[in-house]
Amino acid sequence: MTTLLVTGGCGFIGSNYVRWVLDRHPDYRIINVDKLTYAGNPANLKDLDGDERYRFVQADIGDTPRMTDLMRGVDLVAHFAAESHVDRSLAGAGEFIATNVFGTYSLLVAARENGVNRFLHVSTDEVYGPVGPENPSTEDAAFRPTSPYAASKTGGELMASSFFHSYRFPVVITRGANTIGPYQYPEKAIPLFTTNAIEGKPLPLYGDGRQVRDRLYVTDHCAAADLVLHEGEPGRAYNVWAGNDCDNRAAAEAIVDTLGASHDLITPVEDRAGHDQSYYMDGSRLRGMGWRPQYDLESSLRTTVEWYRDNRWWWEPIKSGEYQDYYEKQYGKRLAAAGKQSP
Ligand code: NAD
Ligand code: TYD
């Protein structure tokens, strides 16, 4: 048996990855370490209850003695845990630094001490900062993060690569594009727009809505992470770029069209501070290893929207909890200024 320790396995991409690995590697067992922040939801993996190959441990990755203990006998690490939302980082970045920088360091120390064979650090295209289509970032491009979230992810990634350079500790890195799919907390644009449209509520579109993001489907991101974990060259980073780029207004229109909802729900509101116009990456390194996205823009968006339409049991409890305070702070004034009351 191979033991894989996944961090952040109760979050969006992490939970999809846990399921992906258990389905494809019958000889693997997984330890999922997750603090269960507001974004961590055990319901994301409730189908694994009773699975002998799966163990959940509630813990903070910044607790180094605990991580060192948990890491005994672990072969591989896939590190997804993070504070992940740009808007929350704009409101205050302390937790982002604690988890994304110090937490990553803590895990690296624990993994190295236990002689882990491979450590996948999951990073983001946002470390490159805003980039246009004419100049897609290769893995050697400079880091120019703009938001506190992106800055903290850059700090964590630099710490991970320092462990390769300083100690030859076998770190591999993915830099994923904007990802969508099932189990994404409905603070991120696509699940927020979709669930609001289902409820007949406004879709708050920042600024002119012409900012562009890739729409990488989550299982494509999982396949890339798994490939890099197993076959990536230690010390190297790999861009994960699907080429499903479209602007936010077009995405909002596709969502309301898929649901048969009204375009009048799409509501331009005050822009995000320091809003990055677009990210573009050169994905040829990963494609050279055989990775291809299985979802194009249309199927990625449609499959995602249909999942939220068909799985209200998952998101309705989230939207009725602490989420409402966050929503009011984030959108109350913006929507009122746009002439729409916040829900
Ligand atoms: P998410 O916010 O949905 O999940 C994060 C998970 O980490 C949650 O379950 C949370 O409880 C857990 N966590 C947070 N702090 C922790 C701590 N201190 N100790 C243990 N667990 C903790 O995030 P996501 O969207 O699934 O992103 C996963 C990773 O992928 C992150 O590293 C993120 O930066 C990266 N990434 C995300 C995207 C995207 O579009 N979502 C794109 C590229 C890269
Ligand atoms: P988001 O899902 O927060 O991801 P990121 O900021 O990491 O790219 O946002 C995706 C895009 O959608 C981004 O350009 C900001 C925009 N957006 C809105 O227009 N309205 C919203 O309410 C949110 C959350 C995001």
Side-chain angles (χ1 to χ4, degrees):
M1 279 298 244
T2 297
T3 303
L4 167 63
L5 185 144
V6 175
T7 70
C10 293
F12 163 48
I13 308 175
S15 61
N16 280 282
Y17 183 67
V18 165
R19 200 175 286 105
W20 205 92
V21 167
L22 289 173
D23 284 350
R24 282 164 185 80
H25 300 290
D27 54 334
Y28 277 35
R29 68 170 154 233
I30 289 188
I31 303 171
N32 170 16
V33 178
D34 196 299
K35 184 179 171 182
L36 297 183
T37 66
Y38 76 94
N41 186 353
N44 295 8
L45 289 174
K46 81 179 174 81
D47 47 313
L48 297 185
D49 283 352
D51 188 322
E52 288 178 356
R53 294 191 296 137
Y54 172 73
R55 179 180 158 212
F56 170 63
V57 178
Q58 183 172 6
D60 187 329
I61 58 168
D63 181 346
T64 316
R66 186 96 193 270
M67 292 305 113
T68 307
D69 200 37
L70 283 170
M71 217 62 94
R72 282 208 185 95
V74 165
D75 302 293
L76 307 168
V77 172
H79 171 35
F80 290 87
E83 287 294 333
S84 67
H85 192 37
V86 171
D87 289 329
R88 288 191 195 241
S89 80
L90 291 166
E95 289 292 324
F96 288 74
I97 298 163
T99 291
N100 301 357
V101 185
F102 182 77
T104 297
Y105 167 71
S106 166
L107 273 180
L108 288 161
V109 168
R112 179 169 168 253
E113 193 166 315
N114 281 284
V116 163
N117 295 329
R118 278 292 175 115
F119 185 106
L120 169 68
H121 177 77
V122 178
S123 187
T124 163
D125 56 0
E126 300 192 29
V127 298
Y128 297 120
V131 174
E134 66 293 345
N135 189 28
S137 308
T138 64
E139 286 82 353
D140 299 325
F143 290 154
R144 292 194 180 86
T146 58
S147 71
Y149 161 70
S152 70
K153 288 296 291 183
T154 308
E157 182 182 330
L158 287 170
M159 191 56 70
S161 40
S162 82
F163 269 60
F164 174 74
H165 292 290
S166 306
Y167 313 118
R168 295 286 128 181
F169 182 63
V171 169
V172 286
I173 294 164
T174 49
R175 298 192 189 125
N178 269 72
T179 305
I180 62 173
Y183 305 106
Q184 186 169 32
Y185 194 83
E187 64 187 351
K188 304 283 167 44
I190 299 302
L192 173 69
F193 289 177
T194 304
T195 55
N196 278 15
I198 292 168
E199 295 180 303
K201 293 175 178 167
L203 281 58
L205 190 64
Y206 292 157
D208 64 5
R210 293 302 175 200
Q211 296 79 14
V212 173
R213 297 293 184 267
D214 198 3
R215 314 289 168 175
L216 170 65
Y217 193 71
V218 66
T219 49
D220 286 331
H221 195 152
C222 292
D226 208 46
L227 181 62
V228 171
L229 173 64
H230 291 95
E231 293 178 28
E233 197 181 307
R236 279 206 135 184
Y238 297 82
N239 292 339
V240 188
W241 174 254
N244 296 340
D245 45 306
C246 77
D247 71 35
N248 295 327
R249 175 167 282 280
E253 286 170 355
I255 289 168
V256 292
D257 285 346
T258 303
L259 293 168
S262 164
H263 280 231
D264 294 342
L265 292 174
I266 300 172
T267 308
V269 296
E270 183 194 333
D271 207 352
R272 168 187 284 174
H275 196 168
D276 285 349
Q277 178 62 31
S278 60
Y279 310 108
Y280 279 89
M281 292 191 288
D282 179 329
S284 45
R285 182 175 285 178
L286 193 62
R287 284 171 193 245
M289 290 168 67
W291 178 84
R292 296 283 180 283
Q294 302 303 303
Y295 288 79
D296 63 10
L297 175 60
E298 188 277 329
S299 56
S300 180
L301 273 172
R302 181 178 38 77
T303 310
T304 300
V305 171
E306 288 174 353
W307 188 84
Y308 290 91
R309 185 196 61 199
D310 298 341
N311 289 279
R312 293 176 78 122
W313 69 270
W314 182 80
W315 56 266
E316 276 177 342
I318 296 174
K319 288 188 104 172
S320 63
E322 85 71 50
Y323 181 90
Q324 285 184 349
D325 297 336
Y326 166 76
Y327 197 87
E328 184 52 36
K329 273 197 205 108
Q330 185 64 22
Y331 298 105
K333 284 193 187 130
R334 281 182 155 107
L335 286 168
K340 305 234 179 142
Q341 268 193 326
S342 89

